[in-house]
Amino acid sequence: MMVLKSRQWRILAELAGGLPQHVSQLARMADMRPHQLNGFWQQMPAHIRGLLRQHDGYWRLVRPLAVFNAENLRILGEKSGFQAALKHECVSSNDEILELARISLDKVHKALCVAHLQSKGRGRQGRKWSHRLGECLMFSFGWVFDRPQYELGSLSLAMAVACRRALLRLGLDVQIKWPNDLVVGRDKLGGILIETVRVGGKTVAVIGIGINFVLPKEVENAASVQSLFQTALHRGNADAAVLLETLLAELDAVLEQYAEEGFVPFLKEYETANRDHGKAVLLLRDGETVCEGTVSGVDEKGILHLDTGDGRQTVVSGEISLRPDDRPVSVPRKREPERFLLLDGGNSQLKWAWVENGIFTAVSRAPYRDLSRLGAEWAERADGRVRIVGCAVCGESKKAQVQEQLASTIEWLPSSAQALGIRNHYRHPEEHGSDRWFNALGSRRFSRNACVVVSCGTAVTVDALTDDGHYLGGTIMPGFHLMKESLAVKTANLNRPVGKVYPFPTTTGNAVASGMMDAVCGSVMMMHGRLKEKIGAGKHVDVIITGGGAAKVAEAMPSAFLEANTVRVVDNLVIYGLLNMIAAEGREYEHI
């Protein structure tokens, strides 16, 4: 990253709009004599030096750049209620807002960070966002929601709608590629990355947006606002400040409505803007086609719906890439599908997921007293080529009930001494609950740090996993229902409805609810402290919570703990562990 001096930034910001500036004014800004400016300009990055034109004592750039003045940016942001900060150079604008979220919930809402250069800018799926100074408009901001994280799956699609609205206001017609890329045909104009964190019982969404302002020379299949502007209007140049101001106004309006009504009001608009709606597409993972079909739409959760040769499929994975299917008919359309039915046999209910080539196509659950839904899905979906793999702690009789619904053998996988680069330190792995083991294996999809892995089911388990792949074991305690049942049976006056969780409960029902929650949260925090001490200072320990009570536990954790640590709620963590296991068969395991 090239480091510029403060006076160089001032000069560049003054010229960035593309309008002529007199050398005397520029010299005053740089605190030097006019004849010294030429030597000063030679210190600029090479791709910017060649943009300068001089005539009759005036300097101008042949094309504008996305470079800002801090004070002008502050005023621009205030028009839509954003508190703007300018970072000439930073690691990532998303990181700047994430750090603010941990410091102050009040200050992070509508806090805006515009970055000129990022050393580790990132996009979806961990990809690096490549850019040169002035070529890309990059900014991140925070928005506080009262909703839990899992209800914001469609937020990035809504943000794509807002960005498209802004561009339309400027006369630029662009499309959206699912889930949230801004595109012009096959060329990418911009992308959106959203990261969330729980703070003080609320969800902070950090929304990062990058839009090519000038056509990036070193990036293939790219579009830019500047080139579109000239093509569409045949006059003048785009202005980065006008672009940002228009974006912020639309983002603010869409977010206000999304916070109240969700994605439903934007569904039709998204469908209209979706480049691939009604068209044949390929879904790829690591360059390989894993699914193909015709896009039939998205739903209110942002999930993609495809019509395939096997019927309607839903795609919920964010780890895939979508491409138009324009291959010649003579080319084989895809490899032979790998189809799985993955089972999580818990104590009180069965969960299952249908998977094709590594993609969840459906996820369901049912109590053991009525597994007819599983049987019906098997009759509808299975064609003899489905492999069934499961993990069970429910006992042999319930496993037999599951087998009755399926006309194929189930591979029940136990805990093992080692798998997927993780070593199991349980003294007798054969006695280790397989759900705890596969929760640990599944956690690697969501964190590469040390983790406390919590499962809130019939029992609550709290396990420790180091960053270098050592499963250290953990604790087991009664789940909420068992705690309540024990109090009801063993005490004379506590067999009453459970109340709500309060910091200082003043009724018996509330005291019972609060005591049970404190027990679980306290156990999680104790394990977190032990693991942090074990791995040493300076390393992060994340918390991943799964199970029916996961969201309530995450919301009940102390605000100071949530602000200092990453806490994630993940549904179906055991199934992710099973998916990791089968994905690694026959090849070296990679963190996804």
Side-chain angles (χ1 to χ4, degrees), residues 250-466:
E250 292 295 346
L251 289 163
D252 181 57
V254 169
L255 279 163
E256 290 286 358
Q257 186 174 5
Y258 182 89
E260 295 294 326
E261 304 175 51
F263 189 56
V264 173
F266 309 103
L267 272 170
K268 186 65 177 178
E269 187 174 353
Y270 185 92
E271 178 182 303
T272 301
N274 186 354
R275 181 193 68 184
D276 302 304
H277 184 77
K279 297 179 181 178
V281 297
L282 305 174
L283 298 181
L284 293 82
R285 185 195 299 276
D286 298 327
E288 283 194 72
T289 300
V290 295
C291 186
E292 62 183 59
T294 300
V295 174
S296 59
V298 299
D299 61 23
E300 68 278 2
K301 295 181 180 179
I303 296 172
L304 181 70
H305 291 253
L306 290 181
D307 289 329
T308 74
D310 298 320
R312 176 67 59 86
Q313 303 286 345
T314 58
V315 182
V316 299
S317 173
E319 299 162 1
I320 59 174
S321 298
L322 182 148
R323 298 285 186 274
D325 184 0
D326 52 7
R327 301 168 301 173
V329 176
S330 59
V331 175
R333 297 190 67 81
K334 65 174 180 177
R335 69 187 186 190
E336 187 67 19
E338 298 174 349
R339 304 181 66 202
F340 295 89
L341 174 60
L342 304 183
L343 308 174
D344 173 12
N347 286 296
S348 59
Q349 63 178 337
L350 178 76
K351 302 176 185 178
W352 63 91
W354 295 90
V355 177
E356 182 165 328
N357 293 330
I359 300 172
F360 288 167
T361 58
V363 180
S364 305
R365 66 179 67 197
Y368 291 101
R369 65 177 180 273
D370 183 9
L371 295 176
S372 58
R373 181 177 179 181
L374 174 64
E377 287 190 16
W378 176 264
E380 177 185 348
R381 291 174 172 267
D383 58 5
R385 295 182 290 109
V386 177
R387 179 181 167 193
I388 311 174
V389 180
C391 156
V393 294
C394 58
E396 294 302 321
S397 62
K398 290 180 179 177
K399 287 165 68 175
Q401 290 176 250
V402 177
Q403 183 66 77
E404 288 177 4
Q405 301 292 328
L406 305 173
S408 187
T409 303
I410 303 172
E411 302 173 46
W412 296 108
L413 302 183
S415 293
S416 57
Q418 187 166 333
L420 310 185
I422 297 176
R423 180 185 173 190
N424 190 346
H425 286 259
Y426 221 72
R427 184 173 300 177
H428 302 291
E430 66 275 7
E431 297 177 0
H432 184 219
S434 56
D435 59 338
R436 297 169 65 192
W437 178 235
F438 282 97
N439 275 331
L441 299 183
S443 71
R444 278 301 184 233
R445 281 192 171 237
F446 304 97
S447 174
R448 299 179 184 179
N449 296 325
C451 288
V452 175
V453 184
V454 185
S455 178
C456 303
T458 304
V460 174
T461 60
V462 185
D463 292 305
L465 177 64
T466 67

Side-chain angles (χ1 to χ4, degrees), residues 15 22 29 41 89 115 174 199 215 289 305 307 316 380 417 444 472 522 543 562 565 588 591:
L15 292 168
H22 200 274
M29 294 181 64
W41 186 258
E89 298 149 8
V174 303
V199 180
L215 195 63
T289 300
H305 291 253
D307 289 329
V316 299
E380 177 185 348
R444 278 301 184 233
L472 303 178
V543 178
L562 291 171
N565 302 285
E588 183 179 355
H591 294 314

Side-chain angles (χ1 to χ4, degrees), residues 2 25 76 85 153 224 259 264 287 314 382 458 495 499 504 515 519 544 563 577:
M2 176 174 289
Q25 178 186 350
L76 184 154
S224 74
V264 173
T314 58
T458 304
N495 186 12
F504 304 100
I544 297 177
E563 291 166 9

